[in-house]
Amino acid sequence: MASIDVSELPRIIARRRLPALVDFREFVEAGALASYHTDYPDLFRRAAAIVDKILKGAKPGDLPVEQPTKFELVINLKTATALGLTIPPSLLARADEVIQ
């Protein structure tokens, strides 16, 4: 399988008229349909708290494994319109951000 330059993804998506669901909001800003992803700043803050505990003497093996708890849904309504898709109002209401 050939690899692609990630910066080319929005152009490829637009050319092929694909309703792409991606994992970075920057791709949605560049033209992908939507993203549902971990809130990375929150994830990094939580990781820093774990590092802090270790630096204060906690044994890493004694700390619980954590999973992300905060997620973000971003929808590009302009892309949806260009693809002839109708996003249900209930989904738009749940989105953290709707790009017009």
Side-chain angles (χ1 to χ4, degrees):
M1 177 175 212
S3 63
I4 62 166
D5 180 358
V6 175
S7 66
E8 293 293 313
L9 188 60
R11 184 183 59 77
I12 293 167
I13 290 168
R15 186 180 62 207
R16 296 187 181 177
R17 297 185 45 84
L18 297 171
L21 184 62
V22 295
D23 59 351
F24 292 103
R25 73 174 300 117
E26 291 80 13
F27 291 152
V28 179
E29 292 166 355
L33 178 61
S35 69
Y36 184 66
H37 60 274
T38 302
D39 182 333
Y40 292 104
D42 181 63
L43 191 65
F44 298 148
R45 280 188 292 276
R46 292 170 57 105
I50 292 171
V51 170
D52 182 57
K53 290 177 185 178
I54 293 169
L55 293 175
K56 289 180 179 174
K59 293 181 182 179
D62 293 339
L63 297 175
V65 173
E66 294 188 23
Q67 293 183 343
T69 58
K70 192 172 180 185
F71 297 88
E72 183 178 51
L73 173 62
V74 181
I75 299 172
N76 188 323
L77 205 52
K78 182 179 173 183
T79 298
T81 302
L83 293 173
L85 301 173
T86 301
I87 306 296
S90 59
L91 186 57
L92 291 173
R94 296 184 96 169
D96 295 290
E97 183 178 352
V98 176
I99 298 171
Q100 299 289 338

